[in-house]
Amino acid sequence: MLHGPSLLCAVLGFAVGCALRSPADRLASPGPSAPAARSHAPAALTLGAITAALFTTLAWRLGPGLDLVAFFALAAGGVVLALVDLRTLRLPDIVTAAILLAGLSLLGIEALAVDEIGSYLRALAGAVVLAAYHFALAVFRRGALGFGDVKLAAVLGLHLSWLGWGELIAGAALSFVGAGTAAAFMLVSGRARLDTPLAFGPWMLLGALGGILFGTELTEAYRTW
């Protein structure tokens, strides 16, 4: 049962999620696949439920603070990015830039307020490291990733590294494991071919969520094993 702040976060997330359908439709409309995919877009109430669950989960994981607001912005923007990427194979720069700006600003203020400059510097380093890794994949393995994925990697690297290096490593690893598993399933089931382009952004976001929730535990388990 939800109580107090958790209920407030759930209500806020539901309201935000319901409002995301319209901008997602507008951002997806220029893509060549958007007309065919529009009828399959989730309803506003579904987006509200998803975003409410994300907000509540993040509030449970992080607790109160400006960093929680930064992660709320990531969750809301991530829902839009996932929808657009699934429908058009694009990650709109305007959404990615907005999440990045919010993260840099809010995490920076939080770092100053609670004397966590080291965490902020780690977050900046993580953004550069994860973006550089995805940039290398995009350049040297053409077709594997797009530059929208590289920009999203910077955003996710910032947020994950704010929590710790374990969260960054786990989030990155889970994104590739999830995408690889989904691609293998689609190939085996005949729903895709080797040259079929697949959206990677949603798997990056899901991997980041896994890293946020279980990053420390996964890295500790790996070290023990």
Side-chain angles (χ1 to χ4, degrees):
M1 183 178 295
L2 296 177
H3 296 283
S6 296
L7 179 59
L8 179 61
C9 290
V11 172
L12 175 62
F14 185 79
V16 170
C18 289
L20 295 177
R21 172 66 189 274
S22 178
D25 282 344
R26 288 198 299 269
L27 289 168
S29 59
S33 62
R38 182 178 296 276
S39 60
H40 301 291
L45 292 179
T46 302
L47 295 182
I50 293 172
T51 311
L54 290 172
F55 275 32
T56 306
T57 302
L58 290 170
W60 165 77
R61 169 65 176 85
L62 300 174
L66 284 177
D67 54 346
L68 178 59
V69 181
F71 278 83
F72 279 175
L74 172 62
V79 169
V80 174
L81 288 174
L83 288 175
V84 175
D85 200 16
L86 286 170
R87 294 162 66 183
T88 67
L89 297 178
R90 293 184 300 106
L91 292 167
D93 288 343
I94 188 172
V95 180
T96 307
I99 304 171
L100 181 61
L101 180 60
L104 289 171
S105 302
L106 293 169
L107 294 179
I109 296 172
E110 177 75 358
L112 291 173
V114 299
D115 195 21
E116 286 287 349
I117 301 301
S119 296
Y120 190 65
L121 293 177
R122 183 182 63 228
L124 295 176
V128 172
V129 168
L130 197 61
Y133 177 71
H134 284 72
F135 178 79
L137 290 177
V139 170
F140 296 110
R141 296 187 60 186
R142 293 190 179 276
L145 296 177
F147 286 102
D149 299 318
V150 176
K151 299 167 189 174
L152 179 57
V155 172
L156 298 180
L158 177 77
H159 290 76
L160 288 170
S161 298
W162 169 261
L163 300 177
W165 291 117
E167 283 79 358
L168 176 69
I169 295 170
L174 288 172
S175 67
F176 284 101
V177 170
T181 302
F185 174 79
M186 294 182 71
L187 284 172
V188 172
S189 63
R191 300 176 63 184
R193 301 179 302 182
L194 290 176
D195 59 348
T196 301
L198 301 174
F200 187 50
W203 294 107
M204 294 175 67
L205 291 160
L206 284 174
L209 179 61
I212 292 168
L213 297 179
F214 310 112
T216 302
E217 291 79 1
L218 289 173
T219 52
E220 287 298 325
Y222 176 77
R223 290 171 184 171
T224 302
W225 182 77

